[in-house]
Amino acid sequence: MEINELVKEAHENAVKHGFCEDFSLIKDIVDEIDCLDEYDKANKILKTNAICTRLTLIHDEVSEATEGLRKNDIANFKEELADIAIRLGDLCGLLDIDLEAEILKKMKINKSREYKHGKAF
């Protein structure tokens, strides 16, 4: 499966199972605000909060992967890594981000960086 196919499928599944209700409701909420400036401000706040919720869920999956590793439960560790990719795919699908292009762009940057990016670890 190509990365962008994973993004599309992960996002479609998240929508199907109700994980994107907040984002779909944002338009309805902000349409009730009369002033354009207020609309833009409210829309940005609501979208930022919805994105932060998804980033927190990704972080939760990272923590669960860490716990799997700490408990030497490699099967759970692998499952949580998959959950990280799925949640990331959902977020990229929601925001219409071409994750594959972003990964390739970042890998090119990383190739030119110094050893451990100049840090201890």
Side-chain angles (χ1 to χ4, degrees):
M1 177 180 285
E2 299 290 325
I3 291 172
N4 286 334
E5 291 171 357
L6 180 145
V7 166
K8 183 176 185 283
E9 190 171 323
H11 180 59
E12 286 173 354
N13 192 53
V15 169
K16 181 180 176 182
H17 287 92
F19 287 103
C20 296
E21 291 174 336
D22 57 348
F23 228 77
S24 65
L25 293 174
I26 288 170
K27 184 180 183 310
D28 296 333
I29 294 168
V30 295
D31 281 346
E32 297 174 7
I33 299 171
D34 297 325
C35 177
L36 184 60
D37 291 334
E38 293 282 332
Y39 171 90
D40 290 338
K41 183 177 178 181
N43 196 27
K44 181 177 181 180
I45 290 168
L46 292 168
K47 285 185 177 180
T48 300
N49 287 343
I51 293 166
C52 285
T53 296
R54 282 154 183 83
L55 289 172
T56 300
L57 292 171
I58 292 168
H59 183 271
D60 287 346
E61 301 298 350
V62 172
S63 295
E64 290 173 5
T66 302
E67 282 303 303
L69 199 56
R70 287 182 68 215
K71 294 175 181 176
N72 203 28
D73 185 347
I74 302 306
N76 179 254
F77 171 70
K78 290 177 182 179
E79 182 178 324
E80 299 306 334
L81 291 180
D83 283 341
I84 293 165
I86 291 165
R87 291 229 182 251
L88 178 61
D90 172 37
L91 178 59
C92 291
L94 181 71
L95 300 175
D96 198 28
I97 293 172
D98 184 340
L99 182 59
E100 193 167 344
E102 294 301 322
I103 290 171
L104 292 172
K105 187 171 26 174
K106 185 61 179 179
M107 287 176 71
K108 184 176 180 181
I109 291 168
N110 286 347
K111 284 182 181 180
S112 67
R113 295 179 82 174
E114 62 184 293
Y115 185 76
K116 291 189 182 178
H117 303 189
K119 299 176 179 117
F121 60 89

